[in-house]
Amino acid sequence: MEKAVVVNFGGQYAHLIARRIRERGVYAEIIQPEDVEKAAKNPEVKAIILSGGPSSVYQSVAPDIPDEVFQLGKPILGICYGHQLIAKKLGGEVRRGKGEYGKTLVRLVGKDPIFDGWEAEEVVWMSHEDYVAQPPPGFSVLAMSENGYVAAMRKGHIYGVQFHPEVAHTAKGGVLLENFLRKVAKINDFWRPEDQIGRIVEEIRRKATEGDVIVGVSGGVDSTVTAVLVHMAVGERAHAIFIDHGLFRDGEPEQVAALLNSLGVKVHVIDARERFLRRLEGVSDCEEKRRIVGETFAEVFAEAVARFPNARYLAQGTLYPDVIESGAVKGADKIKSHHNVGGLPPWFSLSLVEPLREFYKDEVRKIAKALGLPDEVVYRHPFPGPGLAVRIIGPFTKEKLEIVRKATKIVEEELEKAGLLRKVWQAFAVVGDDKWVGVKGDRRAVGYVVTVRVVESEDAMTADWAKLPYDVLEKISARITSEIPHVTMVAYATTTKPPSTIEPC
Ligand code: XMP
């Protein structure tokens, strides 16, 4: 299979570039700068993309690649930092300027296949301070920005663009990437995630040759697809374990079990609600709640696995971004300790099977669709590992748990009725300790404040609050206060991420 490699210079850019390329049917992998020479010599690699990144070429620790890479004849496209790196390495000049941020107009200078389909002027998305003051010898300028910076340059098979074609605000960015891959790098192969199912199943079969394969399922699309693929590969040797921690949404455990059973996957539901809820009772601190759920989960899961003496493998739905953390910054502040089924302790003696480790979430959804999974699984909203526990602010109580569970159901139902549920990233309710005086049945009633949070997002890194129609908000609000005892006020959360996060805790 012909492929492109994206050299990861840090930040989130590399993943975004790889996703955009794959969307256009070309297989792309992310590699680290130290592996670029090897990749450039690999006949399957037809194109090299140097990503953007947070560094400046003049920092002493700025990521770099060997000079030889430019002499191997492979088409190279540098983006932002990659563009500046090309300029510096090949004898041009990079300087610090006043910077360009956000939507910027660029003007094409002459014609080039990489700009096929572009108008003479287009809006692109920029984010840079350094700029190419002097392109290297032999390079021609292909586009200039409205502020007089070099926006694109080329010499033979080497291209650099100062803007970010991978960002949605660069309207013709996808076209540019496709032109580079198909017209310059001459990649003909067409890659689609759903065509990989046969190969994935074959690989699981080859790896898990004997014994039982345990799959931890949570109801989410990743673990459900993993369970189905494992079942396709090893049949009766596949066992799905679903731990009911009591922190799921209304009816969720039953739906997950029924679905997997209907697909022929044996599912073992472990009712551990009592243990989780007992340990959480009264706990206020968010991180403490997360720690309790994570630890209890590992404990219950280990006990469940111990019931399978022939267990040899543990399958989990790890995704590509978890494998290659391009966004990981050393020493960065921990904002929340995320808990996943994957967060199992190292003493687990089973070999890991991770059939989705080369895929992005939207690709897993395509695989799920191709496997015939119902839409409610394919398009299911992300749900945190510690479940509703992170949607309770202040001391955890069963009363608050029931309030968020019921209120979340109402939010989902009303959005579904309005045809909006699938259009938003997440939609849920939160409860804390604030109280509001109300009148219920002509009597004074002091009740809880429920906060409704509905957000739009592409990848959860940033999020915007959904501008829901007032009548939808009104229905949600009226139903919550009338159907849930002890709730007298509904608020709508109108803060973006950042500065907020999506979940309250
Ligand atoms: P925040 O609240 O940090 O959440 O903006 C970003 C996304 O992550 C989800 N989330 C979790 N997912 N385990 C998960 O698998 C967790 O512990 C967890 N906590 C938050 C959250 O729902 C949002 O989509």
PDB file of all heavy atoms in Angstrom, residues 114-141:
ATOM      1  N   ILE A 114      -0.058  22.102  -7.341  1.00  0.00           N
ATOM      2  CA  ILE A 114      -0.508  21.986  -5.949  1.00  0.00           C
ATOM      3  C   ILE A 114      -1.696  22.929  -5.682  1.00  0.00           C
ATOM      4  O   ILE A 114      -2.496  22.696  -4.769  1.00  0.00           O
ATOM      5  CB  ILE A 114       0.675  22.260  -4.998  1.00  0.00           C
ATOM      6  CG1 ILE A 114       0.391  21.630  -3.634  1.00  0.00           C
ATOM      7  CG2 ILE A 114       1.000  23.710  -4.877  1.00  0.00           C
ATOM      8  CD1 ILE A 114       1.556  21.674  -2.688  1.00  0.00           C
ATOM      9  N   PHE A 115      -1.805  23.984  -6.508  1.00  0.00           N
ATOM     10  CA  PHE A 115      -2.907  24.936  -6.321  1.00  0.00           C
ATOM     11  C   PHE A 115      -4.035  24.745  -7.340  1.00  0.00           C
ATOM     12  O   PHE A 115      -4.881  25.622  -7.479  1.00  0.00           O
ATOM     13  CB  PHE A 115      -2.378  26.374  -6.366  1.00  0.00           C
ATOM     14  CG  PHE A 115      -1.620  26.763  -5.124  1.00  0.00           C
ATOM     15  CD1 PHE A 115      -0.263  27.075  -5.181  1.00  0.00           C
ATOM     16  CD2 PHE A 115      -2.264  26.811  -3.898  1.00  0.00           C
ATOM     17  CE1 PHE A 115       0.431  27.426  -4.027  1.00  0.00           C
ATOM     18  CE2 PHE A 115      -1.575  27.161  -2.742  1.00  0.00           C
ATOM     19  CZ  PHE A 115      -0.225  27.468  -2.804  1.00  0.00           C
ATOM     20  N   ASP A 116      -4.068  23.609  -8.030  1.00  0.00           N
ATOM     21  CA  ASP A 116      -5.186  23.354  -8.953  1.00  0.00           C
ATOM     22  C   ASP A 116      -6.494  23.450  -8.171  1.00  0.00           C
ATOM     23  O   ASP A 116      -6.614  22.895  -7.076  1.00  0.00           O
ATOM     24  CB  ASP A 116      -5.076  21.939  -9.552  1.00  0.00           C
ATOM     25  CG  ASP A 116      -4.065  21.898 -10.696  1.00  0.00           C
ATOM     26  OD1 ASP A 116      -3.514  22.958 -11.048  1.00  0.00           O
ATOM     27  OD2 ASP A 116      -3.822  20.792 -11.217  1.00  0.00           O
ATOM     28  N   GLY A 117      -7.443  24.148  -8.731  1.00  0.00           N
ATOM     29  CA  GLY A 117      -8.737  24.275  -8.058  1.00  0.00           C
ATOM     30  C   GLY A 117      -8.811  25.475  -7.132  1.00  0.00           C
ATOM     31  O   GLY A 117      -9.864  25.749  -6.547  1.00  0.00           O
ATOM     32  N   TRP A 118      -7.706  26.205  -6.955  1.00  0.00           N
ATOM     33  CA  TRP A 118      -7.711  27.415  -6.117  1.00  0.00           C
ATOM     34  C   TRP A 118      -7.979  28.636  -6.994  1.00  0.00           C
ATOM     35  O   TRP A 118      -7.585  28.679  -8.163  1.00  0.00           O
ATOM     36  CB  TRP A 118      -6.338  27.599  -5.434  1.00  0.00           C
ATOM     37  CG  TRP A 118      -6.123  26.734  -4.224  1.00  0.00           C
ATOM     38  CD1 TRP A 118      -6.328  25.398  -4.145  1.00  0.00           C
ATOM     39  CD2 TRP A 118      -5.654  27.164  -2.933  1.00  0.00           C
ATOM     40  NE1 TRP A 118      -6.019  24.951  -2.876  1.00  0.00           N
ATOM     41  CE2 TRP A 118      -5.599  26.024  -2.110  1.00  0.00           C
ATOM     42  CE3 TRP A 118      -5.273  28.391  -2.399  1.00  0.00           C
ATOM     43  CZ2 TRP A 118      -5.179  26.069  -0.777  1.00  0.00           C
ATOM     44  CZ3 TRP A 118      -4.856  28.431  -1.066  1.00  0.00           C
ATOM     45  CH2 TRP A 118      -4.814  27.284  -0.269  1.00  0.00           C
ATOM     46  N   GLU A 119      -8.636  29.632  -6.408  1.00  0.00           N
ATOM     47  CA  GLU A 119      -8.775  30.922  -7.086  1.00  0.00           C
ATOM     48  C   GLU A 119      -7.474  31.692  -6.895  1.00  0.00           C
ATOM     49  O   GLU A 119      -6.625  31.289  -6.085  1.00  0.00           O
ATOM     50  CB  GLU A 119      -9.915  31.732  -6.455  1.00  0.00           C
ATOM     51  CG  GLU A 119     -11.280  31.058  -6.469  1.00  0.00           C
ATOM     52  CD  GLU A 119     -11.804  30.831  -7.879  1.00  0.00           C
ATOM     53  OE1 GLU A 119     -11.530  31.681  -8.762  1.00  0.00           O
ATOM     54  OE2 GLU A 119     -12.475  29.806  -8.105  1.00  0.00           O
ATOM     55  N   ALA A 120      -7.350  32.819  -7.592  1.00  0.00           N
ATOM     56  CA  ALA A 120      -6.121  33.621  -7.477  1.00  0.00           C
ATOM     57  C   ALA A 120      -5.937  34.139  -6.047  1.00  0.00           C
ATOM     58  O   ALA A 120      -4.819  34.353  -5.587  1.00  0.00           O
ATOM     59  CB  ALA A 120      -6.174  34.789  -8.449  1.00  0.00           C
ATOM     60  N   GLU A 121      -7.064  34.323  -5.336  1.00  0.00           N
ATOM     61  CA  GLU A 121      -6.987  34.724  -3.927  1.00  0.00           C
ATOM     62  C   GLU A 121      -7.837  33.765  -3.096  1.00  0.00           C
ATOM     63  O   GLU A 121      -8.960  33.457  -3.487  1.00  0.00           O
ATOM     64  CB  GLU A 121      -7.547  36.142  -3.745  1.00  0.00           C
ATOM     65  CG  GLU A 121      -6.581  37.216  -4.173  1.00  0.00           C
ATOM     66  CD  GLU A 121      -7.093  38.622  -3.824  1.00  0.00           C
ATOM     67  OE1 GLU A 121      -8.251  38.753  -3.372  1.00  0.00           O
ATOM     68  OE2 GLU A 121      -6.329  39.560  -4.011  1.00  0.00           O
ATOM     69  N   GLU A 122      -7.302  33.328  -1.995  1.00  0.00           N
ATOM     70  CA  GLU A 122      -8.063  32.414  -1.136  1.00  0.00           C
ATOM     71  C   GLU A 122      -7.790  32.764   0.326  1.00  0.00           C
ATOM     72  O   GLU A 122      -6.726  33.286   0.661  1.00  0.00           O
ATOM     73  CB  GLU A 122      -7.624  30.957  -1.353  1.00  0.00           C
ATOM     74  CG  GLU A 122      -7.985  30.363  -2.695  1.00  0.00           C
ATOM     75  CD  GLU A 122      -9.422  29.853  -2.783  1.00  0.00           C
ATOM     76  OE1 GLU A 122     -10.142  29.843  -1.754  1.00  0.00           O
ATOM     77  OE2 GLU A 122      -9.827  29.468  -3.897  1.00  0.00           O
ATOM     78  N   VAL A 123      -8.749  32.397   1.179  1.00  0.00           N
ATOM     79  CA  VAL A 123      -8.550  32.591   2.619  1.00  0.00           C
ATOM     80  C   VAL A 123      -7.939  31.321   3.200  1.00  0.00           C
ATOM     81  O   VAL A 123      -8.405  30.213   2.917  1.00  0.00           O
ATOM     82  CB  VAL A 123      -9.897  32.893   3.307  1.00  0.00           C
ATOM     83  CG1 VAL A 123      -9.726  32.937   4.823  1.00  0.00           C
ATOM     84  CG2 VAL A 123     -10.458  34.212   2.799  1.00  0.00           C
ATOM     85  N   VAL A 124      -6.882  31.493   3.969  1.00  0.00           N
ATOM     86  CA  VAL A 124      -6.232  30.357   4.627  1.00  0.00           C
ATOM     87  C   VAL A 124      -6.137  30.661   6.122  1.00  0.00           C
ATOM     88  O   VAL A 124      -6.391  31.783   6.557  1.00  0.00           O
ATOM     89  CB  VAL A 124      -4.811  30.108   4.072  1.00  0.00           C
ATOM     90  CG1 VAL A 124      -4.857  29.833   2.584  1.00  0.00           C
ATOM     91  CG2 VAL A 124      -3.889  31.285   4.383  1.00  0.00           C
ATOM     92  N   TRP A 125      -5.761  29.662   6.887  1.00  0.00           N
ATOM     93  CA  TRP A 125      -5.618  29.847   8.339  1.00  0.00           C
ATOM     94  C   TRP A 125      -4.132  29.823   8.705  1.00  0.00           C
ATOM     95  O   TRP A 125      -3.410  28.909   8.334  1.00  0.00           O
ATOM     96  CB  TRP A 125      -6.379  28.754   9.074  1.00  0.00           C
ATOM     97  CG  TRP A 125      -6.581  29.034  10.530  1.00  0.00           C
ATOM     98  CD1 TRP A 125      -7.549  29.817  11.086  1.00  0.00           C
ATOM     99  CD2 TRP A 125      -5.803  28.542  11.616  1.00  0.00           C
ATOM    100  NE1 TRP A 125      -7.423  29.832  12.453  1.00  0.00           N
ATOM    101  CE2 TRP A 125      -6.365  29.059  12.810  1.00  0.00           C
ATOM    102  CE3 TRP A 125      -4.685  27.706  11.703  1.00  0.00           C
ATOM    103  CZ2 TRP A 125      -5.851  28.773  14.068  1.00  0.00           C
ATOM    104  CZ3 TRP A 125      -4.170  27.420  12.948  1.00  0.00           C
ATOM    105  CH2 TRP A 125      -4.751  27.955  14.116  1.00  0.00           C
ATOM    106  N   MET A 126      -3.700  30.877   9.364  1.00  0.00           N
ATOM    107  CA  MET A 126      -2.285  31.020   9.732  1.00  0.00           C
ATOM    108  C   MET A 126      -2.129  31.010  11.235  1.00  0.00           C
ATOM    109  O   MET A 126      -3.030  31.433  11.970  1.00  0.00           O
ATOM    110  CB  MET A 126      -1.752  32.384   9.267  1.00  0.00           C
ATOM    111  CG  MET A 126      -1.735  32.607   7.778  1.00  0.00           C
ATOM    112  SD  MET A 126      -0.178  31.999   7.095  1.00  0.00           S
ATOM    113  CE  MET A 126      -0.261  32.738   5.459  1.00  0.00           C
ATOM    114  N   SER A 127      -0.971  30.589  11.687  1.00  0.00           N
ATOM    115  CA  SER A 127      -0.628  30.711  13.108  1.00  0.00           C
ATOM    116  C   SER A 127       0.894  30.677  13.230  1.00  0.00           C
ATOM    117  O   SER A 127       1.497  29.628  13.427  1.00  0.00           O
ATOM    118  CB  SER A 127      -1.254  29.556  13.894  1.00  0.00           C
ATOM    119  OG  SER A 127      -0.907  29.674  15.245  1.00  0.00           O
ATOM    120  N   HIS A 128       1.511  31.837  13.021  1.00  0.00           N
ATOM    121  CA  HIS A 128       2.986  31.843  13.074  1.00  0.00           C
ATOM    122  C   HIS A 128       3.525  33.221  13.418  1.00  0.00           C
ATOM    123  O   HIS A 128       2.872  34.241  13.169  1.00  0.00           O
ATOM    124  CB  HIS A 128       3.574  31.391  11.732  1.00  0.00           C
ATOM    125  CG  HIS A 128       3.365  32.394  10.621  1.00  0.00           C
ATOM    126  ND1 HIS A 128       4.386  33.148  10.103  1.00  0.00           N
ATOM    127  CD2 HIS A 128       2.256  32.766   9.946  1.00  0.00           C
ATOM    128  CE1 HIS A 128       3.913  33.936   9.138  1.00  0.00           C
ATOM    129  NE2 HIS A 128       2.615  33.723   9.030  1.00  0.00           N
ATOM    130  N   GLU A 129       4.713  33.205  13.976  1.00  0.00           N
ATOM    131  CA  GLU A 129       5.434  34.444  14.238  1.00  0.00           C
ATOM    132  C   GLU A 129       6.685  34.475  13.361  1.00  0.00           C
ATOM    133  O   GLU A 129       6.977  35.454  12.699  1.00  0.00           O
ATOM    134  CB  GLU A 129       5.818  34.500  15.722  1.00  0.00           C
ATOM    135  CG  GLU A 129       5.479  35.834  16.357  1.00  0.00           C
ATOM    136  CD  GLU A 129       5.687  35.824  17.851  1.00  0.00           C
ATOM    137  OE1 GLU A 129       5.306  34.823  18.510  1.00  0.00           O
ATOM    138  OE2 GLU A 129       6.254  36.784  18.360  1.00  0.00           O
ATOM    139  N   ASP A 130       7.428  33.337  13.366  1.00  0.00           N
ATOM    140  CA  ASP A 130       8.580  33.241  12.462  1.00  0.00           C
ATOM    141  C   ASP A 130       8.062  33.251  11.026  1.00  0.00           C
ATOM    142  O   ASP A 130       6.937  32.813  10.777  1.00  0.00           O
ATOM    143  CB  ASP A 130       9.322  31.918  12.686  1.00  0.00           C
ATOM    144  CG  ASP A 130      10.127  31.922  13.982  1.00  0.00           C
ATOM    145  OD1 ASP A 130      10.112  32.946  14.684  1.00  0.00           O
ATOM    146  OD2 ASP A 130      10.747  30.884  14.288  1.00  0.00           O
ATOM    147  N   TYR A 131       8.877  33.725  10.112  1.00  0.00           N
ATOM    148  CA  TYR A 131       8.469  33.681   8.703  1.00  0.00           C
ATOM    149  C   TYR A 131       9.693  33.503   7.818  1.00  0.00           C
ATOM    150  O   TYR A 131      10.828  33.708   8.253  1.00  0.00           O
ATOM    151  CB  TYR A 131       7.698  34.960   8.322  1.00  0.00           C
ATOM    152  CG  TYR A 131       8.563  36.203   8.278  1.00  0.00           C
ATOM    153  CD1 TYR A 131       9.043  36.710   7.063  1.00  0.00           C
ATOM    154  CD2 TYR A 131       8.915  36.879   9.449  1.00  0.00           C
ATOM    155  CE1 TYR A 131       9.848  37.845   7.029  1.00  0.00           C
ATOM    156  CE2 TYR A 131       9.712  38.016   9.417  1.00  0.00           C
ATOM    157  CZ  TYR A 131      10.175  38.491   8.210  1.00  0.00           C
ATOM    158  OH  TYR A 131      10.981  39.606   8.178  1.00  0.00           O
ATOM    159  N   VAL A 132       9.444  33.089   6.591  1.00  0.00           N
ATOM    160  CA  VAL A 132      10.538  32.885   5.635  1.00  0.00           C
ATOM    161  C   VAL A 132      10.826  34.236   4.981  1.00  0.00           C
ATOM    162  O   VAL A 132      10.049  34.715   4.150  1.00  0.00           O
ATOM    163  CB  VAL A 132      10.161  31.817   4.590  1.00  0.00           C
ATOM    164  CG1 VAL A 132      11.229  31.716   3.504  1.00  0.00           C
ATOM    165  CG2 VAL A 132       9.967  30.465   5.276  1.00  0.00           C
ATOM    166  N   ALA A 133      11.932  34.841   5.403  1.00  0.00           N
ATOM    167  CA  ALA A 133      12.280  36.167   4.883  1.00  0.00           C
ATOM    168  C   ALA A 133      12.962  36.028   3.524  1.00  0.00           C
ATOM    169  O   ALA A 133      12.838  36.904   2.667  1.00  0.00           O
ATOM    170  CB  ALA A 133      13.211  36.872   5.863  1.00  0.00           C
ATOM    171  N   GLN A 134      13.646  34.933   3.326  1.00  0.00           N
ATOM    172  CA  GLN A 134      14.370  34.702   2.067  1.00  0.00           C
ATOM    173  C   GLN A 134      14.280  33.212   1.737  1.00  0.00           C
ATOM    174  O   GLN A 134      14.832  32.393   2.464  1.00  0.00           O
ATOM    175  CB  GLN A 134      15.842  35.123   2.297  1.00  0.00           C
ATOM    176  CG  GLN A 134      16.737  34.999   1.092  1.00  0.00           C
ATOM    177  CD  GLN A 134      16.315  35.970  -0.009  1.00  0.00           C
ATOM    178  OE1 GLN A 134      16.162  37.165   0.229  1.00  0.00           O
ATOM    179  NE2 GLN A 134      16.080  35.435  -1.206  1.00  0.00           N
ATOM    180  N   PRO A 135      13.554  32.841   0.689  1.00  0.00           N
ATOM    181  CA  PRO A 135      13.504  31.411   0.341  1.00  0.00           C
ATOM    182  C   PRO A 135      14.904  30.916  -0.037  1.00  0.00           C
ATOM    183  O   PRO A 135      15.735  31.719  -0.473  1.00  0.00           O
ATOM    184  CB  PRO A 135      12.573  31.364  -0.866  1.00  0.00           C
ATOM    185  CG  PRO A 135      11.823  32.649  -0.846  1.00  0.00           C
ATOM    186  CD  PRO A 135      12.742  33.651  -0.218  1.00  0.00           C
ATOM    187  N   PRO A 136      15.187  29.647   0.103  1.00  0.00           N
ATOM    188  CA  PRO A 136      16.518  29.130  -0.239  1.00  0.00           C
ATOM    189  C   PRO A 136      16.783  29.279  -1.742  1.00  0.00           C
ATOM    190  O   PRO A 136      15.840  29.388  -2.528  1.00  0.00           O
ATOM    191  CB  PRO A 136      16.439  27.650   0.141  1.00  0.00           C
ATOM    192  CG  PRO A 136      15.198  27.487   0.931  1.00  0.00           C
ATOM    193  CD  PRO A 136      14.279  28.601   0.576  1.00  0.00           C
ATOM    194  N   PRO A 137      18.053  29.238  -2.154  1.00  0.00           N
ATOM    195  CA  PRO A 137      18.390  29.384  -3.574  1.00  0.00           C
ATOM    196  C   PRO A 137      17.628  28.369  -4.429  1.00  0.00           C
ATOM    197  O   PRO A 137      17.510  27.213  -4.046  1.00  0.00           O
ATOM    198  CB  PRO A 137      19.901  29.096  -3.613  1.00  0.00           C
ATOM    199  CG  PRO A 137      20.388  29.297  -2.211  1.00  0.00           C
ATOM    200  CD  PRO A 137      19.234  29.074  -1.298  1.00  0.00           C
ATOM    201  N   GLY A 138      17.120  28.825  -5.553  1.00  0.00           N
ATOM    202  CA  GLY A 138      16.438  27.924  -6.490  1.00  0.00           C
ATOM    203  C   GLY A 138      14.956  27.776  -6.224  1.00  0.00           C
ATOM    204  O   GLY A 138      14.223  27.224  -7.039  1.00  0.00           O
ATOM    205  N   PHE A 139      14.475  28.258  -5.077  1.00  0.00           N
ATOM    206  CA  PHE A 139      13.046  28.149  -4.763  1.00  0.00           C
ATOM    207  C   PHE A 139      12.272  29.283  -5.424  1.00  0.00           C
ATOM    208  O   PHE A 139      12.756  30.416  -5.470  1.00  0.00           O
ATOM    209  CB  PHE A 139      12.820  28.225  -3.249  1.00  0.00           C
ATOM    210  CG  PHE A 139      12.873  26.878  -2.575  1.00  0.00           C
ATOM    211  CD1 PHE A 139      14.086  26.228  -2.412  1.00  0.00           C
ATOM    212  CD2 PHE A 139      11.708  26.253  -2.140  1.00  0.00           C
ATOM    213  CE1 PHE A 139      14.143  24.978  -1.814  1.00  0.00           C
ATOM    214  CE2 PHE A 139      11.758  25.005  -1.541  1.00  0.00           C
ATOM    215  CZ  PHE A 139      12.969  24.359  -1.370  1.00  0.00           C
ATOM    216  N   SER A 140      11.102  28.953  -5.942  1.00  0.00           N
ATOM    217  CA  SER A 140      10.261  30.037  -6.431  1.00  0.00           C
ATOM    218  C   SER A 140       9.088  30.223  -5.478  1.00  0.00           C
ATOM    219  O   SER A 140       8.597  29.268  -4.876  1.00  0.00           O
ATOM    220  CB  SER A 140       9.763  29.775  -7.848  1.00  0.00           C
ATOM    221  OG  SER A 140       9.444  28.428  -7.988  1.00  0.00           O
ATOM    222  N   VAL A 141       8.674  31.475  -5.354  1.00  0.00           N
ATOM    223  CA  VAL A 141       7.546  31.788  -4.474  1.00  0.00           C
ATOM    224  C   VAL A 141       6.254  31.502  -5.237  1.00  0.00           C
ATOM    225  O   VAL A 141       6.074  31.937  -6.368  1.00  0.00           O
ATOM    226  CB  VAL A 141       7.608  33.266  -4.039  1.00  0.00           C
ATOM    227  CG1 VAL A 141       6.334  33.660  -3.289  1.00  0.00           C
ATOM    228  CG2 VAL A 141       8.835  33.498  -3.158  1.00  0.00           C
TER     229      VAL A 141
END
